[in-house]
Amino acid sequence: MMPYSAKPIARVLVALGVVSVVCSEVAAAHVRFVTNAEQAGEGLTFLADALADPVNVAVLGGGGLATLGALGVYLRVRPLQRDVAVFRNVMTGYRDLLPWLLRLGFGLPLVGAGFAGYFFNPIVEPVAAPGLVRLFQIGLGFALLFGIATRVAAIVGVLVYLLALVSQPLLLYSFEWVPGLVAIALIGSGRPSADEVLQKVAAAEGTVYGRIDPVHRAASWLNRNADPYERFVPTIIRVGMGLSFVFLGLFEKLLAPEMALSVVEQYDLTALAPFPAELWVLGAGFAELGLGLAILSGFFTRISALTALSVFVLTLFGIPDDPVLAHIGLFSLASALLITGAGAYALDNHIGADKPAMAHDGATPADE
């Protein structure tokens, strides 16, 4: 039980940590999706000048220390154990819907990209045959949405993305496609899906389709070989999402100051909170970098995922021109981590950050 005198301290630390992250992350949109600036700027020069200001250092350092302090207090005191236990059990109960969540999260953006005419993200256009590229993305998106030949569709999607990345490096700004599609390829279609319906029709005695069954006979080898690796889906999602955040924090904010500063000016964010424009950029960049490293290493994974979801929601309200469809994939990955937890090879498994004590009624949370 937490001593009474420590409760106000814990509350203050938690509040400071949350405020520091959330306020800075209001500026943390996909900068290249909304900026009017054409030059990235001198990132190292910007960092040297901005961090030479003691006010900037004090604000950033205070926010970081408050966040670390709040996490330390949580590990020592373990407040709200019953609440956390019930939350984790409820989330774990949604595991059977995880394939559907991922299919929606990456099928919808593909269909949207096809109809809008861009290639995987709004700053990349097809280099050739735009009509065919649009049809390809729409078809692939609907295959994921309906869950038909799901694993094949996901493998095709990730291969096309990786091949295009060689000539279109701006696709890195939507790197979430890689963990998302790889996860779908491993976890399969789940339910509800067309694959499940066809499989049950094929398995039923006396059906005409059961005598033909071209899809599932051809896909049986792929399914048998993918199933053993399904347990790594949480790790793949976590690492891929963490790398995306780290990349965006560095190359969209800290090392692209002109673009990031233009977003602050474009949306008059300094009127929202009286911070200098460079502090907005520093706060957004370092917060995104820190959040990415936390997710990447599996450090307070569910709390980090909740923070990411809050950031996405605030960004959509704070940056109204930021395309919603371009963020649905990240929404689905963060939601998936709430369901799965950190998975294998995570710090949470060693520090017990996501494993609260036994609930009062004797129920224990599900294992990671």
Side-chain angles (χ1 to χ4, degrees), residues 338-355:
L338 289 180
I339 295 172
T340 65
Y345 310 112
L347 289 178
D348 282 348
N349 300 328
H350 301 285
I351 64 176
D354 201 23
K355 292 187 178 181

Side-chain angles (χ1 to χ4, degrees), residues 227-247:
D227 285 341
Y229 299 98
E230 184 179 333
R231 63 192 180 94
F232 293 111
V233 165
T235 307
I236 291 169
I237 292 174
R238 175 171 52 77
V239 172
M241 185 177 176
L243 288 174
S244 295
F245 268 87
V246 169
F247 179 85

Side-chain angles (χ1 to χ4, degrees), residues 30 33 106 118-124 161 165 168-181 240 244 247-248 252 325-327 329-330 333:
H30 273 72
F33 292 177
F106 288 90
Y118 58 80
F119 187 57
F120 283 107
N121 78 41
I123 57 174
V124 177
Y161 175 93
L165 185 60
Q168 298 274 29
L170 288 177
L171 286 174
L172 278 175
Y173 290 90
S174 291
F175 183 75
E176 66 270 12
W177 285 101
V178 173
L181 291 174
S244 295
F247 179 85
L248 294 174
E252 275 203 334
L325 275 177
H327 294 286
L330 284 171
L333 293 182

